[in-house]
Amino acid sequence: MMQAGKLQHRIELQRLSETLGPNRQAVQTWTTYASGKAELRQSGLSEFLTTFGEGVSNNAVFLLRWLPGVAVSDRILHGGKVWNIVAIAEIGRRKGIELRAVAA
């Protein structure tokens, strides 16, 4: 379960958006649509075994308060590092969400 005192890591959730550049060409940029605090957990044993040799620091689990609309096409920015979301799970009944991520 998620505890308020463990939400210590500042994160930003970003989504790919498209705008028109100066020459009227479509330009894709990542835009922050939410920011807040999250709990950062180590990946589980199964992820550790499947990534053995690659380094465990490439996988992470972020727990945060409920936020509607988060998608696997989004990404997380944490500590200057970009994380691609690979799985989303609801915690309780809209109490929080668990984001499994892989370093980009």
Side-chain angles (χ1 to χ4, degrees), residues 39-45 47-48 55-62 100:
E39 179 181 344
L40 179 60
R41 288 192 180 167
Q42 292 289 334
S43 296
L45 182 60
E47 286 90 355
F48 174 77
V56 191
S57 62
N58 289 335
N59 295 324
V61 177
F62 293 90
R100 293 192 176 268

Side-chain angles (χ1 to χ4, degrees), residues 1-3 7 39 41 61-67 88-99:
M1 194 59 155
M2 201 172 45
Q3 296 178 352
L7 302 177
E39 179 181 344
R41 288 192 180 167
V61 177
F62 293 90
L63 302 172
L64 55 146
R65 295 191 198 304
W66 172 255
L67 182 66
I88 301 171
E90 187 174 341
I91 300 171
R93 189 173 181 119
R94 293 190 175 192
K95 293 199 182 274
I97 53 176
E98 175 184 287
L99 303 176

Side-chain angles (χ1 to χ4, degrees), residues 54-88:
E54 295 177 24
V56 191
S57 62
N58 289 335
N59 295 324
V61 177
F62 293 90
L63 302 172
L64 55 146
R65 295 191 198 304
W66 172 255
L67 182 66
V70 179
V72 291
S73 58
D74 298 341
R75 71 181 190 179
I76 300 167
L77 186 60
H78 170 259
K81 193 173 186 179
V82 174
W83 299 84
N84 294 323
I85 300 172
V86 294
I88 301 171

